Amino acid sequence: MSSPIIEKNNQDHSPEELTGWLKERIAEHVQLPAEEIDADVPLANYGLDSLYALTVVTEIEEHLGLTLEPTVMWDAPTLNALVEVIRAELAHAA
């Protein structure tokens, strides 16, 4: 399954689009199928350690053209919480 394409110039990303893209990124790092990643379960429960969390933050920043706090994944520990932070940052950047 290929990950949804998310472009920097589209500032109105749906929660579903962001969640799907992030599931793919996280699944790759924790070596699980994306379908097994539950958006309400803390990402640490899947074995996403600090190194991979920082890597995902960097991927988000590069892919969406955002600057996020390095601790964003600890402050927003689930996919749903992370998506809300990203959407707020995208709205702020618009």
Side-chain angles (χ1 to χ4, degrees):
M1 178 174 155
S2 63
S3 61
I5 297 172
I6 297 179
E7 298 181 21
K8 290 180 188 179
N9 60 0
N10 178 5
Q11 299 296 319
D12 189 31
H13 300 292
S14 72
E16 296 80 15
E17 178 184 42
L18 288 170
T19 300
W21 183 78
L22 285 167
K23 275 187 179 185
E24 291 288 333
R25 304 302 327 123
I26 290 162
E28 182 177 314
H29 290 293
V30 298
Q31 299 179 349
L32 286 173
E35 302 81 39
E36 291 186 23
I37 307 293
D38 184 318
D40 292 315
V41 172
L43 297 172
N45 289 12
Y46 295 106
L48 191 72
D49 64 18
S50 59
L51 178 61
Y52 287 135
L54 288 173
T55 301
V56 172
V57 170
T58 300
E59 291 172 346
I60 294 166
E61 290 178 331
E62 290 175 356
H63 201 70
L64 296 176
L66 294 175
T67 301
L68 300 172
E69 291 294 323
T71 59
V72 68
M73 293 188 75
W74 288 273
D75 298 335
T78 66
L79 269 181
N80 281 337
L82 185 56
V83 165
E84 289 307 310
V85 169
I86 292 169
R87 286 179 49 85
E89 288 297 320
L90 286 169
H92 181 70

